Amino acid sequence: MALIYMNMTLAFTVSLLGLLMYRSHLMSSLLCLEGMMLSLFVTMAITILNSHLILASMIPIIMLVFAACEAALGLSLLVMVSNTYGVDHVQNLNLLQC
Amino acid sequence: MTYIVFILSTMFVVGFLGFSSKPSPIYGGVGLIISGGVGCGIVMNFDGSFLGLMVFLIYLGGMMVVFGYTTAMATELYPEVWISNKAVLGGLMVGLVMELVLVFYVLGEVYGDVVTEFSDLGDWVVYDMEDYGFVNSEAVGVSSLYSYGAWLIVVTGWSLFVGVVVIMEITRGG
């Protein structure tokens, strides 16, 4: 296995841990989600380019489209939270008290 | 120069640590932009010129700009830098130590046994078997999105449209 896959897996795992362990801002978790998408894009692109799978070159672009959809949805939720509370602190998301 | 991809991927991971340690989001966006630029360099080292420029144009130029001004809207008066909070600095240092330990371990293995183990532990060097002439084969593959991937275009276009409608419903409020 090539060395670059180790670093790509590490980057994905670091972003995943950053997404799961949030601090105060909801925006930081959305940025970690974007980081996961970026590491997946680079991994997919180098696998496809190195194996000369020419027709599969469109798959990273499709993945970028769906990542953009997901980012836009996350940002719209953040905008609504920010409209209600002024900042996007996750401690404000406390309506569910069980 | 054979290991330029490995060096770039190490910088990629360090950039990821920069925003995963979660300083204030505006500095996290800076780390993601740096990682995006380095990721473009990694993809370009494998002859992926179109996909690399796609990262810059669509990902950084489209999505990160939106993240940037949303962060500007929902941010605080005194944003935290990486050194202003012990939790952020501790996370960054732990990640950096982990990355350096792994890099030196791997490089130790490679340089210890270069002649016999190079094909297992070395980095990739792209081996071109066919002669594609004057056309970049990867650009041909991406442009086949409009011929072989017509149904993919329909599905992604429809899902983007539905996404826009969903976002308008969410932000209607009330």
Side-chain angles (χ1 to χ4, degrees):
Chain A
M1 177 116 97
L3 292 176
I4 189 172
Y5 277 154
M6 177 196 86
N7 274 330
M8 289 299 135
T9 314
L10 267 178
F12 182 81
T13 312
V14 158
S15 261
L16 179 66
L17 285 174
L19 173 68
L20 296 175
M21 301 191 288
Y22 45 80
R23 284 183 60 229
S24 52
H25 279 279
L26 190 64
M27 188 69 181
S28 305
S29 300
L30 290 181
L31 279 174
C32 288
L33 199 60
E34 287 308 301
M36 285 163 68
M37 287 296 134
L38 179 65
S39 70
L40 282 177
F41 177 90
V42 172
T43 305
M44 208 184 282
I46 63 179
T47 307
I48 288 169
L49 287 170
N50 199 68
S51 319
H52 294 292
L53 295 172
I54 298 178
L55 269 185
S57 301
M58 63 175 96
I59 294 179
I61 294 180
I62 302 296
M63 205 198 77
L64 223 55
V65 168
F66 286 118
C69 268
E70 162 194 350
L73 266 167
L75 280 175
S76 73
L77 288 171
L78 184 138
V79 159
M80 290 316 287
V81 169
S82 177
N83 271 355
T84 317
Y85 294 103
V87 282
D88 60 337
H89 291 151
V90 291
Q91 66 196 19
N92 294 329
L93 306 172
N94 53 4
L95 289 178
L96 184 69
Q97 292 162 357
C98 58
Chain B
M1 210 55 196
T2 315
Y3 290 97
I4 187 68
V5 176
F6 185 64
I7 293 170
L8 282 175
S9 67
T10 308
M11 288 165 54
F12 190 72
V13 175
V14 170
F16 265 54
L17 286 167
F19 68 80
S20 288
S21 52
K22 283 185 287 296
S24 184
I26 198 72
Y27 296 112
V30 169
L32 192 56
I33 288 172
I34 292 173
S35 292
V38 173
C40 167
I42 293 174
V43 170
M44 285 200 174
N45 268 302
F46 286 91
D47 296 332
S49 38
F50 187 83
L51 284 175
L53 286 177
M54 176 74 86
V55 169
F56 257 118
L57 211 62
I58 308 298
Y59 192 84
L60 295 185
M63 290 157 66
M64 279 305 118
V65 164
V66 173
F67 268 87
Y69 60 70
T70 309
T71 306
M73 188 186 74
T75 189
E76 61 225 352
L77 191 56
Y78 293 109
E80 292 185 322
V81 192
W82 291 279
I83 56 176
S84 68
N85 189 354
K86 284 196 178 55
V88 175
L89 186 62
L92 183 61
M93 283 301 134
V94 164
L96 278 178
V97 163
M98 167 203 72
E99 178 67 17
L100 287 176
V101 162
L102 274 168
V103 163
F104 281 117
Y105 174 70
V106 161
L107 284 181
E109 290 216 358
V110 168
Y111 278 117
D113 220 347
V114 166
V115 173
T116 59
E117 303 268 2
F118 188 77
S119 63
D120 279 337
L121 294 174
D123 210 342
W124 272 346
V125 176
V126 181
Y127 179 62
D128 272 322
M129 299 177 299
E130 306 166 33
D131 179 24
Y132 294 109
F134 296 107
V135 179
N136 188 4
S137 64
E138 169 232 3
V140 168
V142 170
S143 63
S144 76
L145 181 62
Y146 294 103
S147 66
Y148 293 107
W151 179 241
L152 268 176
I153 293 279
V154 170
V155 167
T156 51
W158 180 250
S159 70
L160 279 172
F161 174 68
V162 169
V164 165
V165 170
V166 166
I167 287 174
M168 287 202 301
E169 279 302 316
I170 290 176
T171 52
R172 194 156 58 136

